Amino acid sequence: STSNTDVPRGIEFDSRDNSFWVADQGTNDFIYHYDSNGANTTGGFYTAGAGADTPTGIAIDTTDNSFWILDDIDYVVYHFDSNGANTTGSFNPVAVGGASHPYGMAFDATDNSLWITDATDDFVYHFNSAGINQTNGFSVFGAGADAPTGIAFDTTNNSFWITDATDDFVYHFNS
């Protein structure tokens, strides 16, 4: 179990040190860092000062160890450097990609892009790191998913694991 979180939503494994990061959308508006035993480290950073008041999604950009944080209220994806400082690389998936309710996010190191689930549209959007919709997203509705919220990109076979809030189910999709 973890301590200090209020409303934990997104989680991201960090292969650099076998730790994990948790996006807390509650009153804390904080990204917590935990070691492999679940102990809270001194790492982490506050997101609300940068505009991300309700972080739900988190993805680590393995090309430069930075963070992409998805805010659930204003639907903006914020880019933070490896020290937790906000950079200028933010974008709005609703405005630029047609998403309705972006919720989960995964980084794809094969092309330095982000895959973002939309819990309302039953769709997974694909954006490059500049925030441009790559138009090769996909619908999960035909497979039975109704509200995709979480996503993990599997680099071993370029596939996706997607959690669905309505079905309480985890789906596997090939890319």
Side-chain angles (χ1 to χ4, degrees):
S1 91
T2 59
S3 60
N4 300 331
T5 57
D6 182 30
V7 184
R9 289 294 182 249
I11 187 168
E12 178 76 358
F13 178 73
D14 190 340
S15 62
R16 296 171 296 176
D17 61 0
N18 292 325
S19 64
F20 58 98
W21 298 81
V22 175
D24 187 350
Q25 82 168 43
T27 56
N28 298 329
D29 302 323
F30 201 80
I31 306 300
Y32 289 97
H33 188 206
Y34 296 93
D35 67 21
S36 60
N37 295 316
N40 191 353
T41 70
T42 57
F45 53 95
Y46 182 65
T47 61
D53 293 327
T54 52
T56 55
I58 181 171
I60 296 175
D61 183 334
T62 54
T63 62
D64 62 2
N65 298 323
S66 62
F67 299 90
W68 293 93
I69 307 296
L70 175 62
D71 187 288
D72 188 42
I73 297 297
D74 61 11
Y75 304 134
V76 171
V77 176
Y78 294 91
H79 193 209
F80 291 84
D81 68 19
S82 60
N83 296 315
N86 190 18
T87 70
T88 57
S90 63
F91 66 94
N92 185 323
V94 173
V96 299
S100 295
H101 189 177
Y103 200 88
M105 181 171 46
F107 181 76
D108 181 352
T110 59
D111 62 358
N112 299 330
S113 65
L114 293 165
W115 294 88
I116 298 175
T117 58
D118 188 310
T120 301
D121 292 343
D122 307 325
F123 201 81
V124 177
Y125 291 91
H126 188 203
F127 294 92
N128 67 14
S129 59
I132 298 171
N133 188 349
Q134 300 301 288
T135 68
N136 63 336
F138 56 95
S139 173
V140 296
F141 189 72
D146 189 34
T149 52
I151 183 170
F153 185 72
D154 184 347
T155 58
T156 58
N157 60 8
N158 294 331
S159 63
F160 301 91
W161 293 92
I162 296 175
T163 58
D164 188 274
T166 301
D167 299 348
D168 299 325
F169 197 77
V170 178
Y171 292 89
H172 186 223
F173 292 90
N174 293 319
S175 60

